[in-house]
Amino acid sequence: MQRLVQGCAVFFIAMGAFAFGALETLELALLESRFSLLDRPASGEVVAVQIDARSVQELGQWPLPRNTYAFAVRSLVAAGANEIAIDVDMSARTNENETAALARALEDAGGHVILPAFTQLAQPGVYDGNLIDAEPTPELTPHAWLGSVNVVPDKDGRLRQLMHGMWNADGAFRYSMFALLAGKAKPKPEPFYVDYGIDVRTIPRISFVDVMDGRFDVNVVNGKRVIIGGTAVELGDHFAVPRYGVMSGPMVQAMGFETLHQGREIHRTGPIGVVLLVILVLAGALCMPQQRGWIGHAAIVAVAVVGLLAVSGLLQHFAAISLDILPALFALMLLFGLQLVLMSDLQRRNAARQKRIASHQRILLDRVVSDSFDGIAILDANGRIEQANKQTFDLCNAPHTGTAANLDYLVENLSLDRDRPAGGWHNVPLGEPVLGRVVREGTEHHLEIRLNRSEVPVDTPLPNGKMYRHVLGLTIRDVTDSIRAVTAQREAREQAERANRAKTDFIANMSHELRTPLNSVIGFAELMEQQALGPLGSPDYQEYAAHISGSGRHLLSIVNDIMDVTRAEMGDVQLADDAVCLAEIAEGAIHAARGDTDSCAHVIRTEFDFDVGEVLADGPRIQRAIGNLIKNAACYSPPDAPITVRTRTNQGGQPIVEVEDQGDGIPADMLSSILMPFQQVKAFAHRTSDGVGLGLTVVAAFMKLHEGTIEIDSSVGEGTTVRLVFPASRRVASHAASAAE
């Protein structure tokens, strides 16, 4: 009920301000501001022929002879103008020949010319109801329309409204000139607000003297309406208008034409609309929840203000309706102010209640701090203890002294991880943990100590003028369990690393131990195979010896791969860099591959670019890497599929060795793991040899040692291309250039 009474009071106050016109000036200012924010171009259907300062100067007289207007009318009619309005007084008698010339021009125009007429006081300054009409001389009226050019500025002198027509001195209704020109005249003096949002600068204009001299584009006036009138300042026909400040009479007529032609006659909502809008806004404001602070109410008011401004702007822009929102805004602000007063009183009542609650909370916080397992203390800026719980002294194994001690006394029994700062322990960096050890009851405990700084308000200003002082917050926590857990985790990790190193050492040592007997087996098998000591008793021995030799080489290759991968992981590989030709290295790898059982069935093509030059590399290892790629290509390709080995450089000058096959390719889900040890593509039936999946791993390890990369492009069913990309810095030419520089 109280809010309803408030709403009614605000409503009647706002309506009273509206009724007495207290808000009218601001309302008009809002209407005018929307002209600048929401402008639109002119239609281009009306053209202003201006008697400007240049025309007056070049023609040399004012008023102009009427035969000049006759010539202008004929020129414009010849250019295709539909209608012509002349906003120049024709009521005075002048030279009969000049008047006759204009009359003939009007007759030849066929009734498509409008002449001005206006009604004025019989005696200037005497408002006795006596009016007289100023009309063109009788010789001119038979062949022209008469249009009223009377305008009525507002009380502040600004011309905001025009009318479709006015009553003349004889009581007859006369249409306005711009209404006749637009063809949308109404038979009553109905006022409307001109849409000054139409950009007057977009109305086409021609200087009158240019029309007289024929120096204008006929396309500008062809099929258009034309207004002829004086725009020069010295002619005096100017009005104060919104947005543009001052506007000449002919341009006011042009703006009236554009307003009617575009259907932009702006009408205000009036008293009924104001009442409904104020009721709607107040109802919405009163229905909002009361449990909001002044910021919440201010936000609601701001949203409502922005919303009203936006709605009024959109209505004026799209519907040519000026929504009178100022009474609603005034009511909203008044209601907001009243709410602030009431909330201020409510806040004063709540302050006392909050004070009681704060006292209770302090007691509760003191109890929680006292019962905490952590040590919590408050120190002054010099490190003196102002307040501390029991745990603060117990954790530090210090005797309880209440507040008669400082931080240095508190930690004197601790072994801390750093030296005492200059000035005392209260000068350690804020927030940085200080670790310490203390022995309590025969057991070593680890403590973590932290300091933070707070600003505490004071009742009276300090000597430095500040209304607060700094205090230090001290927290001491027993982190013994955490330290033990971290230590155990670190020891477990170190043990795992030692086990991994032991495994790697075992593999390396076992590989060395296996190589020696394997070399012996292979050596004796080769002697038997080659019958170095004479023919053997049976031919089968040669086959057996060949099997022994092949198996031994295969086993030796596997062991060598394992050793290379292991040594690369251990970082125990030294490159024997030398200037080598990649094409020659690749040729050596191809020659070795032709003797391999898996590779000899394939045609191996070469595409060598000898401009690559020499590269600093470990020749044997690179030859072995290329050989592994050729062997892989042969292993996963049909026997009739060719293999291509090429050398080249890319755009960055990096040397590249490519091995391309037309085999089955590598599935996309394996590309990310194919370089890992013991990874193989096992899905194809024509795979011709066994292996442990270390070939590409060895290649990748060798390229990493050379600071290079390995790139693989593969599509299932189309083949695979593997690139060995060396850094450009390994080209011998690059080293020579660097040395020269």
Side-chain angles (χ1 to χ4, degrees):
M1 187 65 183
Q2 181 183 7
R3 301 192 73 189
L4 181 61
V5 173
Q6 295 172 5
C8 292
V10 169
F11 172 79
F12 286 113
I13 294 173
M15 287 298 97
F18 171 73
F20 286 101
L23 307 176
E24 181 65 13
T25 301
L26 293 177
E27 192 70 66
L28 290 175
L30 282 176
L31 186 152
E32 294 176 7
S33 66
R34 293 191 284 265
F35 290 144
S36 299
L37 295 175
L38 304 169
D39 63 349
R40 62 181 68 238
S43 65
E45 290 298 319
V46 65
V47 179
V49 175
Q50 303 179 118
I51 305 176
D52 51 14
R54 184 167 66 89
S55 299
V56 174
Q57 182 180 9
E58 293 188 15
L59 294 176
Q61 58 180 326
W62 181 262
L64 300 178
R66 290 183 179 173
N67 57 348
T68 58
Y69 296 110
F71 183 83
V73 169
R74 292 185 185 278
S75 296
L76 293 171
V77 170
N82 282 346
E83 302 286 342
I84 302 172
I86 303 176
D87 187 11
V88 178
D89 182 20
M90 298 287 180
S91 60
R93 291 192 171 276
T94 61
N95 185 284
E96 295 181 358
N97 293 331
E98 296 172 357
T99 302
L102 178 57
R104 288 192 298 273
L106 297 177
E107 182 179 3
D108 293 342
H112 292 284
V113 178
I114 305 171
L115 296 179
F118 52 93
T119 303
Q120 58 186 340
L121 296 173
Q123 295 183 7
V126 179
Y127 299 92
D128 56 0
N130 292 324
L131 303 174
I132 59 173
D133 293 320
E135 299 178 349
T137 57
E139 296 88 349
L140 303 177
T141 56
H143 304 291
W145 293 85
L146 297 184
S148 174
V149 293
N150 281 93
V151 294
V152 182
D154 291 342
K155 294 179 180 179
D156 59 357
R158 295 166 74 87
L159 183 60
R160 298 183 179 90
Q161 302 182 75
L162 294 177
M163 291 187 288
H164 287 270
M166 296 186 69
W167 304 104
N168 62 14
D170 298 331
F173 183 77
R174 177 173 290 142
Y175 295 108
S176 294
M177 176 180 283
F178 65 85
L180 289 173
L181 197 63
K184 295 184 178 181
K186 294 182 179 180
K188 54 183 178 179
E190 178 180 331
F192 61 89
Y193 283 87
V194 178
D195 186 3
Y196 287 104
I198 298 172
D199 192 348
V200 71
R201 295 165 295 188
T202 61
I203 296 176
R205 306 187 189 199
I206 303 173
S207 181
F208 185 82
V209 71
D210 290 337
V211 174
M212 296 298 297
D213 295 340
R215 300 191 305 255
F216 69 97
D217 185 0
V218 296
N219 294 321
V220 176
V221 300
N222 185 23
K224 306 295 173 51
R225 286 91 155 184
V226 178
I227 297 178
I228 301 174
T231 60
V233 175
E234 58 266 30
L235 302 184
D237 187 17
H238 287 76
F239 301 92
V241 298
R243 184 182 181 183
Y244 300 106
V246 177
M247 185 177 291
S248 64
M251 297 312 298
V252 169
Q253 296 294 323
M255 289 295 288
F257 168 87
E258 287 289 348
T259 300
L260 291 183
H261 181 74
Q262 297 189 36
R264 295 294 305 166
E265 309 99 297
I266 297 176
H267 297 282
R268 294 171 62 179
T269 50
I272 296 178
V274 169
V275 171
L276 293 177
L277 183 60
V278 171
I279 292 175
L280 179 63
V281 169
L282 289 178
L286 293 174
C287 289
M288 296 300 294
Q290 286 184 296
Q291 291 79 15
R292 296 176 181 269
W294 70 268
I295 296 178
H297 284 277
I300 293 173
V301 171
V303 170
V305 170
V306 172
L308 286 174
L309 291 173
V311 169
S312 63
L314 293 175
L315 276 177
Q316 184 167 318
H317 185 69
F318 292 105
I321 296 175
S322 177
L323 183 64
D324 289 346
I325 62 172
L326 209 58
L329 293 178
F330 177 70
L332 191 62
M333 295 294 184
L334 195 60
L335 184 62
F336 174 62
L338 184 59
Q339 291 292 333
L340 284 182
V341 173
L342 295 177
M343 281 191 294
S344 177
D345 180 64
L346 181 62
Q347 288 174 352
R348 282 194 299 270
R349 288 189 304 222
N350 288 336
R353 186 169 65 91
Q354 291 296 330
K355 189 174 182 179
R356 293 192 300 270
I357 294 175
S359 176
H360 173 72
Q361 289 178 340
R362 282 194 298 271
I363 296 173
L364 181 63
L365 182 60
D366 289 343
R367 180 59 56 87
V368 171
V369 170
S370 298
D371 296 339
S372 174
F373 292 106
D374 294 337
I376 301 175
I378 299 175
L379 316 177
D380 64 13
N382 296 318
R384 187 177 184 83
I385 298 175
E386 294 187 359
Q387 188 175 353
N389 63 356
K390 179 177 177 293
Q391 282 295 102
T392 301
F393 297 95
D394 290 345
L395 289 174
C396 295
N397 199 21
H400 291 244
T401 59
T403 59
N406 57 19
L407 183 56
D408 288 1
Y409 164 80
L410 195 63
V411 301
E412 65 180 1
N413 294 328
L414 304 183
S415 297
L416 300 176
D417 62 350
R418 65 189 67 191
D419 295 332
R420 178 180 179 273
W425 283 105
H426 62 280
N427 291 321
V428 297
L430 298 177
E432 183 175 317
V434 177
L435 299 180
R437 291 178 289 111
V438 64
V439 177
R440 294 199 311 270
E441 299 177 356
T443 304
E444 185 178 68
H445 291 266
H446 295 269
L447 303 180
E448 180 186 84
I449 302 173
R450 291 179 186 265
L451 286 175
N452 66 284
R453 178 178 293 171
S454 301
E455 294 179 352
V456 179
V458 294
D459 295 332
T460 58
L462 297 176
N464 57 10
K466 296 181 179 179
M467 293 298 296
Y468 62 87
R469 68 185 183 94
H470 288 115
V471 297
L472 298 175
L474 171 68
T475 57
I476 304 175
R477 176 166 296 177
D478 191 330
V479 293
T480 303
D481 293 338
S482 300
I483 294 293
R484 289 172 180 171
V486 171
T487 302
Q489 184 179 12
R490 183 178 64 252
E491 291 176 351
R493 183 173 64 253
E494 291 175 352
Q495 183 177 359
E497 291 175 352
R498 287 194 297 270
N500 187 56
R501 284 196 300 271
K503 178 188 68 175
T504 303
D505 292 342
F506 170 78
I507 293 175
N509 293 331
M510 288 304 297
S511 298
H512 174 73
E513 295 297 329
L514 288 172
R515 290 181 67 183
T516 301
L518 283 174
N519 285 330
S520 299
V521 170
I522 295 170
F524 284 115
E526 287 179 345
L527 289 175
M528 295 174 62
E529 182 182 11
Q530 297 170 4
Q531 301 184 45
L533 302 177
L536 299 176
S538 170
D540 292 338
Y541 286 125
Q542 289 183 327
E543 181 181 352
Y544 298 155
H547 284 307
I548 293 173
S549 178
S551 299
R553 288 192 182 93
H554 179 65
L555 184 56
L556 181 60
S557 175
I558 293 174
V559 172
N560 285 337
D561 287 347
I562 293 174
M563 287 188 63
D564 286 332
V565 172
T566 302
R567 292 175 63 191
E569 288 181 351
M570 295 175 64
D572 188 26
V573 178
Q574 296 293 330
L575 292 180
D577 280 344
D578 196 2
V580 298
C581 176
L582 288 181
E584 294 176 0
I585 294 295
E587 190 64 48
I590 294 171
H591 179 74
R594 295 189 191 279
D596 185 82
T597 304
D598 297 329
S599 306
C600 62
H602 292 265
V603 176
I604 302 178
R605 301 171 180 172
T606 59
E607 296 177 8
F608 294 152
D609 181 3
F610 289 93
D611 291 336
V612 174
E614 294 183 328
V615 176
L616 286 176
D618 189 330
R621 284 192 168 91
I622 297 302
Q623 181 170 324
R624 185 174 167 197
I626 298 173
N628 283 0
L629 297 182
I630 295 174
K631 185 175 181 179
N632 275 5
C635 183
Y636 294 97
S637 300
D640 57 344
I643 299 172
T644 303
V645 180
R646 64 174 62 90
T647 61
R648 63 182 180 87
T649 56
N650 60 15
Q651 294 180 349
Q654 295 175 297
I656 294 176
V657 179
E658 287 184 349
V659 177
E660 176 182 336
D661 64 62
Q662 298 179 9
D664 300 284
I666 303 172
D669 58 349
M670 292 194 64
L671 285 174
S672 60
S673 61
I674 196 66
L675 297 179
M676 296 176 62
F678 312 113
Q679 298 295 312
Q680 292 179 303
V681 181
K682 303 178 180 179
F684 306 109
H686 53 71
R687 190 166 167 260
T688 59
S689 68
D690 296 325
V692 294
L694 288 173
L696 288 178
T697 305
V698 171
V699 174
F702 286 172
M703 290 307 297
K704 184 177 180 180
L705 292 172
H706 285 80
E707 303 171 331
T709 59
I710 178 171
E711 299 175 356
I712 302 176
D713 293 336
S714 184
S715 299
V716 175
E718 296 181 8
T720 302
T721 300
V722 182
R723 298 183 195 87
L724 305 182
V725 183
F726 294 83
S729 59
R730 281 192 167 267
R731 295 182 69 182
V732 174
S734 299
H735 279 265
S738 299
E741 293 175 357

